[in-house]
Amino acid sequence: MKFSKVLTATSSAVGLVVAGSSLFAMDLTVVSWGGAYSQSQIDAYHDPYMAKNPDVNFIYDESGAESVARLRAMKEANNLTWDLVDAVASDAIRLCDEGLAMPIDADAVLASAPDGTPASEDFGDLIINECFIPQIVYSTTFGYRTDVDEWNGRTPSTVCDVFDLKNFPGKRALEKRPINNMEWALHCDGVALSDVYDVLSSDEGVARALAKLDTIKDQVIWWSAGADTPQLLADGEIVMGSTYNGRLFNLIVEKGAPVDMLWDAQAFDLDGWIIPSGLPADRLEAVFDFVNFATDTQRLADQAKYISYGPARKSSAPLVGKHATLGVEMGPHMPTAPENSRNVLIYDYVWWADFRDDLDQRFQAWLAQ
Amino acid sequence: MTESDNEFVCFKNVQKSYDGKILVVKDLNLSIGRGEFLTMLGPSGSGKTTCLLMLAGFETATHGQILLDGKTINNIPPHKRGIGMVFQNYALFPHMSVEENLSFPLEVRSMGRSMREQKVKHALDMVQMSEFATRRPSQLSGGQQQRIALARALVFEPELVLMDEPLGALDKQLREHMQFEIKHLHERLKVTVVYVTHDQTEALTMSDRVAVFDDGIIQQLASPDTLYEEPINSFVAQFVGENNTLTGVVEKIDKSSATVRLDSGDMISAMPVNIHKSGERTQVSIRPERVETDMKRLPEGGYTISAEVLEFIYMGDVFRTRLKVAGNDDFIVKSRNSPDQSRLTPGETIKIGWLPQDCRALDA
Amino acid sequence: MRALLLIAPLLAFVLITFVMPIADMLFRSVENGIVSDILPRTSAAIKDWNSQGVDDLPHENVYRNLLVDLTIAVKRRTQTRVGSRLNYEAAGISSSFRRVGRGLRSFNTEPYSNYFIHQDENWGDTGYLEQLFSNPRISAALPSSASAFRTWQTDFSSDQIITPDDFVFVALASDLSTLANDKVSDLGIDSLRTAHADIDQLSTSSIKHMFIEFDKNWGDVNLWKTIKTFSPRYTDGYFLNAVDLKRGIDGVERRDQSERIYLVLFVRTAVMSLTITVLCILLGYPVAYLLAHLPLRKANLLLILVLLPFWTSLLVRTSAWKVLLQQEGVINDILVTIGLVDDAARLVMINNQFGTIVAMSHILLPFMILPLYSVMKTIPPSYIRAARSLGATPFTAFWRVYFPQSLPGIGAGSVLVFILAVGYYITPELVGGVKGTFISNRIAYHISSSLNWGLGAALGTLLLVAVLILYWVYDRIVGIDNVKLG
């Protein structure tokens, strides 16, 4: 096992061997997003790993949403306390661009597929830069209540119904940031999904998207935590709202709320691991060992037993089965299922990495007006 | 004096209970004349302060009537009674200057500014505090605060002023001084004063009449000299002034004299006050200054008894001697320090004597 | 001396946990080293540029230096940070920096190395350059290239490579083209003189042209003005931004209508905090009065009720308000059930200012009640009695005698509640929606999301100054001695 080198190094340096495992146990701080998502990771990755490696102890941190800010602060203070961070694609690009995440060689660090296909090929395009270790494909999409009297039996069928206050009155929840909202607004203002980023690259395009959002601004509740929309939907506070598809799965299938999915123009995004740059060698080795395990074909497929996010490896797809406790077939609930992905917004994380600062500034100012 | 002048303040069958069970004031009947200085004296818990608070309107009588100048005031709120009051800790408003404090009762009576200023000035002159008009109460000494409190209670010219242990917080010398000042003010202003204290000296010095309270009942209502010289029961005798007590049984009683067999076996004669028949137990009370140790000075008809000197204390103006008399070893004798007065030595046995009329046989 | 030693631990604690963070915040609100640290050569080269019009772009040499700076920044992964920094001042710059950082390797800079090496093969030899730049006179005359070469040596070179990267030659071209003939002669190096003679040849491979070709934003005068304005090490830009101003082409000017948000937020924070404070006084005063005048046992029970909110988590309390106030919430349900409100017209009581005011007043109420209570406890009942006996009605006695004496409690409570309210951000974030958020929410946003720490620090500093001014005014009017906590 890989710790043996560390062990000998330590004992020879200190000059004596102290018995007892506590001296050699390693605490690894893993940052993720909390809630059902973190739980699925713990069930699929961490617990099985700890069963095999009793010397490793995980400390779970739920600051995923602040990873860029926190890592930047840690670098300034020169006090890195995180060992592994779960980040969405655009954050991963920002972290990588700023040198806060370390570049890795996918084929050297990650396991190959069972048939021998190297990791870089198995993950394919999902390895969006040299720092990113993909885990899942998820989407941001809408859920709506199925019992709204004012709709007179109509049900939303396209994302543009979100902007239709006449036929679908009621409060809706949108995320408190420009990502996705701008694309949907432009799309519903008549821009083809494939052209939205070109249009958004200009000031006029941004103004156009904000103008479209202005038409529903009064009726919008802005969310910032993934759990907000499901809660608001369950309470009947909103009639529709965007959130991550896994959260809606949880609300609809597990809790049985009178809510349905609107898959139209769902925004595909990736989520994966990044390793903070500047880890000491022994910790890095431990992190590599865990990541190698946690992103292998079986583990990624296992995670889909707990939450409806698609595994990032091609080789995991055939292994996706039924939900661990509910027994429902997970395939049809995946954002990647053919009937769900007829019309998708391919979220352009590279474009967003470039334009995030610009649009955040404009969007937040617009929001505060 | 008219009827209403004799009954300016009148308590009629007044009872007070806080909890509905225990009566703090039991069937109080008391009339106070216009211009009188009446002191309610008693130990704490005797009901005197409750009476004062009922009169001021801060407590309501459970039963009975309280009249002021012939009108029932039971249901009149305090601010409409027009009674001045001086509190134990003065209760000067700390956020107002002396002037403002004095002006307050006039302001709430909607008095014009010039009138107010004039009255405030007059009141301050009265207590010789004019130069402190702009000070805050916290910048004044205790005695000064006391005077301001007095001035404030008088400035709106109430006919009745209540004082609730107003001198309690002052040191002895200042207290004695203020006693006279209050007395003089009372004489000058002819205002009716009801004064509450537990200090019997204060009560004796200042009052026209003193009501001695105990256990919710007025034990004796009389002028200071009567109270001192002719207490009608042993509580009053004990509470007012210093007192020697000898206990015994009534042997024989007639109209003006009684014979008492003391527990020591000695037979003495005393004046019957509230004993009624022979065989009754009694406490015989003799004031220390009425006992003579020098037989030459004892007038004709004096009763003598032997005593053992236990202690002799030189106090300047008087000598204070503790004796053992008829089994009571706390028998005090006070004698004036005159040139021919002999100084006793502890251990010696002497003869002492008193006049039978100074020896009052009271309830046991 | 011993006294000093005794308080030393506390002093150190206060210094470390209080004074230093505030000092750091003050420093960050003006500190602006990032531009001159990451773009040192560009910052130096642009100093002499004063734009005369929209077509008057910086000189070719500025672009050459930018290329050198960016090449190094990309290697060090810092180019995005300078972009983010400048983006705070003019939205749109960040993407220009990020894209050019990624596209830099497509720039054809080979003519530059070729120009030198074709003249003299020595130019392609690290050893020769090493010798050249170790001469202090030459290093001083060719500052950009000297530092570019040194950086290349430390960050780029390896044992196998002996020819420096192109950017070193771009820097050399930039330095040489600014030197006069006699200066070059003075240096006494032939290879330099030769290179200097024909340096204008290189204008055919214009770096400026390459930048503009790649992204037309680099041909925008305003972008360059922003870089020039924010290249000094210290800036008032964050503070200007914090009050909706900016350093524009002709000095300080107001920001565009669509970007003015902070003054509104400052005013809103002040007005809402004041409302909350007043509400706390109105709600807390009677409770404190009761507490101070009830018999001890009942008072203790009431005190527990007052303190109960302290023992529950802030999030739980705020969530409880959500449940109560939301449109499908308890209060609306009751109002609809008793027919006071139509089902279709349920009241909007959350995600707006109303929600923030209600929830914050509740959370801050104990901070008003407790000081009031402890002050009221010290007011003896004899004052009221005295006032009544002097002829005051119950109301007059309260208003003229009791109330003035309870003012120190109101003062202490108000200062506490107001200062706490001004700095609150969790509750407004959860129940305030868009219209019910405070300036502190923007500070939190800049610290944790936009990462514009400078602006966050400037806003925080302004908030701190505002509170200090308020404190000073309060001291002037009421007197801080009159603030009593009991």
Side-chain angles (χ1 to χ4, degrees):
Chain A
M1 110 148 248
K2 294 187 178 181
F3 291 127
S4 54
K5 248 189 278 176
V6 184
L7 196 143
T8 33
T10 314
S11 50
S12 59
V14 177
L16 53 103
V17 180
V18 181
S21 61
S22 64
L23 186 65
F24 312 111
M26 176 142 337
D27 286 335
L28 290 181
T29 305
V30 179
V31 181
S32 188
W33 301 76
Y37 179 63
S38 278
Q39 194 53 49
S40 72
Q41 290 180 319
I42 291 169
D43 290 340
Y45 313 156
H46 296 90
D47 283 349
Y49 185 78
M50 277 197 286
K52 279 172 62 186
N53 299 278
D55 285 348
V56 175
N57 182 37
F58 289 105
I59 295 165
Y60 303 107
D61 188 313
E62 298 184 353
S63 327
E66 294 163 10
S67 55
V68 181
R70 295 280 296 275
L71 281 171
R72 204 184 266 186
M74 286 180 201
K75 185 172 185 185
E76 283 213 12
N78 207 5
N79 178 23
L80 184 62
T81 57
W82 288 354
D83 297 304
L84 187 61
V85 180
D86 187 290
V88 294
S90 56
D91 280 349
I93 292 177
R94 289 216 285 178
L95 289 167
C96 203
D97 281 353
E98 296 191 15
L100 296 168
M102 75 174 282
I104 55 144
D105 178 352
D107 287 337
V109 175
L110 306 177
S112 302
D115 62 3
T117 314
S120 56
E121 214 172 292
D122 203 15
F123 283 110
D125 293 344
L126 302 188
I127 299 180
I128 53 171
N129 66 18
E130 67 268 35
C131 305
F132 190 64
I133 305 163
Q135 277 180 71
I136 55 154
V137 178
Y138 72 98
S139 83
T140 307
T141 189
F142 282 88
Y144 59 89
R145 297 242 351 159
T146 52
D147 59 352
V148 184
D149 294 340
E150 289 87 341
W151 292 358
N152 297 322
R154 288 183 292 266
T155 52
S157 56
T158 81
V159 72
C160 296
D161 290 338
V162 173
F163 294 87
D164 183 355
L165 291 176
K166 206 167 119 270
N167 285 319
F168 300 99
K171 296 259 187 210
R172 37 272 268 146
L174 292 177
E175 190 171 4
K176 203 176 187 175
R177 59 175 200 173
I179 293 173
N180 299 336
N181 294 332
M182 303 293 270
E183 289 97 315
W184 284 324
L186 276 186
H187 173 54
C188 294
D189 204 35
V191 179
L193 276 180
S194 51
D195 294 339
V196 287
Y197 291 105
D198 287 340
V199 177
L200 265 187
S201 300
S202 67
D203 286 354
E204 298 75 41
V206 174
R208 188 173 164 189
L210 292 177
K212 182 70 180 175
L213 285 167
D214 257 332
T215 61
I216 57 167
K217 196 178 180 185
D218 286 348
Q219 292 299 308
V220 174
I221 291 174
W222 301 95
W223 62 268
S224 42
D228 289 349
T229 295
Q231 187 60 51
L232 290 166
L233 276 172
D235 288 350
E237 277 298 295
I238 53 169
V239 294
M240 55 175 87
S242 66
T243 188
Y244 314 125
N245 71 293
R247 306 267 182 175
L248 287 170
F249 170 83
N250 181 271
L251 181 71
I252 298 167
V253 181
E254 285 187 40
K255 303 215 173 103
V259 171
D260 227 335
M261 299 279 278
L262 176 63
W263 285 106
D264 183 54
Q266 56 159 313
F268 269 164
D269 193 2
L270 300 175
D271 193 277
W273 300 114
I274 64 99
I275 301 169
S277 47
L279 283 182
D282 56 336
R283 307 192 77 82
L284 189 59
E285 203 169 348
V287 169
F288 277 162
D289 193 57
F290 170 68
V291 167
N292 178 283
F293 172 81
T295 58
D296 72 15
T297 301
Q298 186 58 48
R299 247 44 65 184
L300 289 185
D302 284 351
Q303 192 190 9
K305 281 196 232 165
Y306 304 100
I307 199 155
S308 60
Y309 294 141
R313 276 184 191 261
K314 294 184 192 85
S315 60
S316 299
L319 303 177
V320 172
K322 290 181 173 165
H323 189 277
T325 52
L326 299 175
V328 281
E329 205 60 60
M330 292 302 279
H333 294 284
M334 292 292 171
T336 42
E339 59 273 30
N340 297 340
S341 51
R342 281 189 206 109
N343 187 29
V344 297
L345 167 68
I346 307 294
Y347 165 65
D348 188 342
Y349 29 76
V350 178
W351 188 91
W352 271 111
D354 284 353
F355 283 88
R356 176 101 188 248
D357 286 341
D358 307 4
L359 262 71
D360 258 356
Q361 184 131 339
R362 290 197 187 136
F363 182 81
Q364 294 295 338
W366 171 81
L367 205 56
Q369 291 272 310
Chain B
M1 271 209 196
T2 65
E3 172 93 356
S4 86
D5 279 347
N6 281 330
E7 296 189 349
F8 181 57
V9 176
C10 201
F11 289 85
K12 283 187 177 166
N13 307 105
V14 173
Q15 293 184 348
K16 173 71 185 176
S17 170
Y18 287 105
D19 55 5
K21 283 179 231 158
I22 300 158
L23 286 177
V24 184
V25 174
K26 298 169 187 162
D27 198 35
L28 178 78
N29 287 288
L30 173 64
S31 295
I32 302 165
R34 193 186 289 275
E36 189 178 6
F37 195 120
L38 181 121
T39 297
M40 294 178 170
L41 174 69
S44 54
S46 61
K48 58 186 194 304
T49 299
T50 306
C51 286
L52 195 78
L53 292 179
M54 284 193 288
L55 185 50
F58 299 125
E59 296 290 354
T60 49
T62 319
H63 180 77
Q65 263 188 313
I66 300 171
L67 294 101
L68 178 66
D69 208 5
K71 289 182 285 279
T72 309
I73 56 168
N74 287 45
N75 294 320
I76 296 177
H79 62 279
K80 290 189 179 154
R81 295 192 181 189
I83 299 173
M85 187 154 178
V86 181
F87 292 83
Q88 193 168 8
N89 292 312
Y90 325 127
L92 294 177
F93 307 141
H95 58 293
M96 298 183 190
S97 68
V98 163
E99 250 172 355
E100 287 163 342
N101 262 286
L102 263 64
S103 187
F104 181 83
L106 308 177
E107 272 172 53
V108 299
R109 286 175 171 77
S110 314
M111 195 175 277
R113 172 184 274 270
S114 58
M115 189 74 164
R116 285 200 319 251
E117 283 170 3
Q118 192 188 327
K119 293 212 173 210
V120 168
K121 191 177 170 317
H122 179 74
L124 283 174
D125 285 343
M126 186 174 72
V127 293
Q128 293 132 43
M129 290 289 291
S130 312
E131 55 194 297
F132 300 102
T134 54
R135 295 256 186 110
R136 285 287 167 108
S138 57
Q139 296 167 307
L140 301 177
S141 71
Q144 290 169 330
Q145 290 188 36
Q146 176 55 246
R147 287 184 197 180
I148 300 302
L150 260 175
R152 189 177 67 175
L154 292 167
V155 69
F156 61 99
E157 291 161 8
E159 287 190 87
L160 175 62
V161 177
L162 312 182
M163 302 192 188
D164 184 10
E165 310 223 13
L167 306 180
L170 301 180
D171 61 52
K172 187 167 178 287
Q173 227 168 355
L174 201 53
R175 191 157 65 220
E176 280 167 10
H177 179 75
M178 286 305 296
Q179 284 170 12
F180 290 110
E181 249 181 67
I182 291 173
K183 186 74 194 150
H184 293 153
L185 270 175
H186 168 247
E187 279 161 9
R188 253 173 54 210
L189 299 173
K190 310 264 184 286
V191 63
T192 311
V193 176
V194 178
Y195 192 102
V196 163
T197 183
H198 63 269
D199 183 324
Q200 39 106 2
T201 325
E202 221 166 271
L204 297 182
T205 322
M206 304 170 77
S207 322
D208 294 328
R209 281 196 299 163
V210 178
V212 181
F213 275 74
D214 186 44
D215 198 20
I217 291 169
I218 295 183
Q219 302 288 340
Q220 185 171 6
L221 172 65
S223 61
D225 51 345
T226 315
L227 200 66
Y228 187 81
E229 313 219 354
E230 299 166 20
I232 58 164
N233 60 29
S234 53
F235 173 79
V236 177
Q238 304 268 8
F239 194 76
V240 181
E242 212 171 354
N243 191 52
N244 291 309
T245 304
L246 299 170
T247 54
V249 180
V250 180
E251 192 78 1
K252 203 176 91 198
I253 178 166
D254 62 32
K255 221 167 179 195
S256 60
S257 85
T259 309
V260 176
R261 181 200 297 279
L262 295 182
D263 295 343
S264 59
D266 297 286
M267 301 284 274
I268 61 169
S269 82
M271 203 172 93
V273 180
N274 59 351
I275 51 171
H276 310 286
K277 55 183 193 291
S278 56
E280 209 177 329
R281 278 200 73 78
T282 181
Q283 284 192 6
V284 181
S285 141
I286 312 146
R287 295 288 179 197
E289 69 277 11
R290 295 294 166 94
V291 179
E292 199 53 74
T293 52
D294 186 350
M295 287 305 111
K296 295 195 290 287
R297 291 162 182 256
L298 188 67
E300 195 86 0
Y303 172 82
T304 58
I305 187 168
S306 70
E308 185 191 348
V309 179
L310 296 177
E311 197 174 9
F312 176 83
I313 304 161
Y314 175 82
M315 295 179 76
D317 55 342
V318 292
F319 300 153
R320 188 181 166 89
T321 317
R322 188 158 67 84
L323 305 168
K324 181 170 183 169
V325 177
N328 178 355
D329 56 5
D330 200 20
F331 195 99
I332 304 294
V333 176
K334 273 189 202 160
S335 32
R336 198 162 63 87
N337 181 359
S338 53
D340 57 340
Q341 189 68 266
S342 59
R343 301 184 184 189
L344 300 167
T345 11
E348 82 184 285
T349 303
I350 55 163
K351 283 254 175 218
I352 57 168
W354 58 76
L355 290 173
Q357 61 263 39
D358 289 334
C359 183
R360 298 169 68 80
L362 305 168
D363 55 311
Chain C
M1 190 59 211
R2 188 189 300 170
L4 200 67
L5 274 176
L6 283 171
I7 61 162
L10 178 69
L11 212 62
F13 180 75
V14 168
L15 207 68
I16 290 167
T17 60
F18 191 68
V19 177
M20 279 177 25
I22 287 180
D24 185 58
M25 178 180 82
L26 293 173
F27 180 66
R28 271 180 197 277
S29 63
V30 292
E31 196 265 347
N32 189 45
I34 190 163
V35 179
S36 47
D37 283 347
I38 296 174
L39 305 176
R41 298 165 195 83
T42 316
S43 302
I46 207 173
K47 269 204 185 102
D48 305 325
W49 174 68
N50 282 303
S51 179
Q52 304 300 320
V54 284
D55 296 326
D56 187 13
L57 284 167
H59 186 260
E60 165 72 17
N61 274 338
V62 175
Y63 284 90
R64 286 175 177 165
N65 279 301
L66 179 67
L67 179 120
V68 176
D69 285 338
L70 278 177
T71 309
I72 294 166
V74 168
K75 181 79 183 171
R76 292 177 175 168
R77 295 171 178 276
T78 50
Q79 91 280 9
T80 58
R81 274 201 248 170
V82 72
S84 297
R85 165 67 190 99
L86 293 170
N87 195 68
Y88 303 146
E89 308 300 336
I93 294 187
S94 176
S95 51
S96 300
F97 269 91
R98 282 174 186 272
R99 280 193 295 180
V100 84
R102 212 169 293 125
L104 212 52
R105 61 181 76 124
S106 71
F107 284 30
N108 180 17
T109 47
E110 230 168 86
Y112 286 81
S113 49
N114 287 346
Y115 170 79
F116 286 95
I117 295 167
H118 286 169
Q119 278 182 358
D120 184 342
E121 279 191 2
N122 277 335
W123 283 114
D125 178 16
T126 311
Y128 176 73
L129 287 165
E130 170 70 52
Q131 197 194 345
L132 193 68
F133 287 121
S134 60
N135 179 341
R137 277 183 59 221
I138 292 174
S139 282
L142 306 169
S144 282
S145 24
S147 67
F149 177 69
R150 298 279 172 230
T151 310
W152 176 81
Q153 279 186 311
T154 54
D155 289 17
F156 291 75
S157 76
S158 66
D159 295 343
Q160 288 87 41
I161 305 170
I162 49 156
T163 306
D165 283 290
D166 289 350
F167 75 87
V168 178
F169 295 101
V170 174
L172 205 50
S174 161
D175 280 342
L176 281 176
S177 66
T178 54
L179 284 181
N181 277 328
D182 51 339
K183 284 257 180 145
V184 180
S185 310
D186 284 352
L187 292 171
I189 308 282
D190 284 341
S191 60
L192 274 178
R193 211 173 301 139
T194 320
H196 182 255
D198 288 333
I199 198 76
D200 287 347
Q201 252 184 34
L202 279 170
S203 56
T204 51
S205 322
S206 165
I207 302 283
K208 179 178 183 173
H209 184 74
M210 290 181 213
F211 267 100
I212 298 170
E213 188 80 334
F214 179 78
D215 178 351
K216 65 178 173 10
N217 285 343
W218 291 104
D220 181 354
V221 170
N222 287 330
L223 184 152
W224 284 102
K225 280 181 175 158
T226 308
I227 296 178
K228 181 175 157 70
T229 310
F230 293 95
S231 54
R233 293 204 76 84
Y234 296 96
T235 179
D236 54 7
Y238 292 124
F239 278 103
L240 291 175
N241 194 348
V243 289
D244 294 340
L245 298 173
K246 67 177 173 189
R247 193 161 285 286
I249 320 287
D250 314 305
V252 176
E253 59 186 55
R254 293 194 72 179
R255 284 186 172 257
D256 294 343
Q257 181 68 45
S258 65
E259 291 178 337
R260 286 179 211 157
I261 51 178
Y262 297 112
L263 284 183
V264 176
L265 273 171
F266 271 116
V267 171
R268 185 196 290 164
T269 304
V271 170
M272 285 179 66
S273 298
L274 207 64
T275 313
I276 290 162
T277 310
V278 170
L279 208 61
C280 280
I281 295 174
L282 293 180
L283 294 172
Y285 199 93
V287 178
Y289 186 88
L290 257 185
L291 269 175
H293 293 91
L294 276 181
L296 197 63
R297 259 177 41 154
K298 285 183 189 163
N300 279 342
L301 191 73
L302 191 61
L303 194 64
I304 288 173
L305 291 180
V306 168
L307 289 176
L308 207 60
F310 269 162
W311 302 332
T312 41
S313 123
L314 178 73
L315 288 176
V316 170
R317 275 183 285 164
T318 309
S319 306
W321 277 114
K322 275 190 164 181
V323 172
L324 280 175
L325 294 177
Q326 61 188 10
Q327 283 193 285
E328 302 292 326
V330 177
I331 293 178
N332 264 312
D333 282 349
I334 292 172
L335 290 177
V336 169
T337 312
I338 61 173
L340 221 57
V341 167
D342 190 69
D343 199 13
R346 284 169 173 256
L347 302 175
V348 182
M349 296 184 290
I350 203 162
N351 294 318
N352 55 17
Q353 303 196 349
F354 183 83
T356 302
I357 289 174
V358 168
M360 295 261 294
S361 298
H362 171 241
I363 285 160
L364 296 176
L365 201 52
F367 293 98
M368 180 63 78
I369 292 177
L370 293 178
L372 263 177
Y373 165 65
S374 60
V375 167
M376 284 174 171
K377 280 281 275 197
T378 63
I379 305 175
S382 63
Y383 287 127
I384 283 286
R385 284 184 176 170
R388 298 289 307 279
S389 80
L390 292 170
T393 59
F395 175 76
T396 311
F398 168 77
W399 184 244
R400 296 275 318 270
V401 176
Y402 192 88
F403 183 74
Q405 295 190 65
S406 65
L407 273 178
I410 294 184
S414 299
V415 168
L416 264 177
V417 169
F418 187 84
I419 289 176
L420 282 172
V422 161
Y424 245 64
Y425 71 94
I426 297 171
T427 304
E429 185 70 41
L430 291 176
V431 299
V434 175
K435 293 276 177 225
T437 48
F438 285 4
I439 193 73
S440 0
N441 293 84
R442 297 303 297 179
I443 297 176
Y445 165 76
H446 284 306
I447 298 300
S448 65
S449 290
S450 81
L451 307 179
N452 188 350
W453 291 351
L455 180 55
L459 290 169
T461 306
L462 287 182
L463 196 61
L464 181 70
V465 169
V467 167
L468 287 177
I469 289 175
L470 203 83
Y471 191 77
W472 179 77
V473 169
Y474 185 88
D475 184 33
R476 270 307 171 89
I477 297 172
V478 187
I480 233 62
D481 303 341
N482 278 334
V483 172
K484 271 203 283 189
L485 290 170

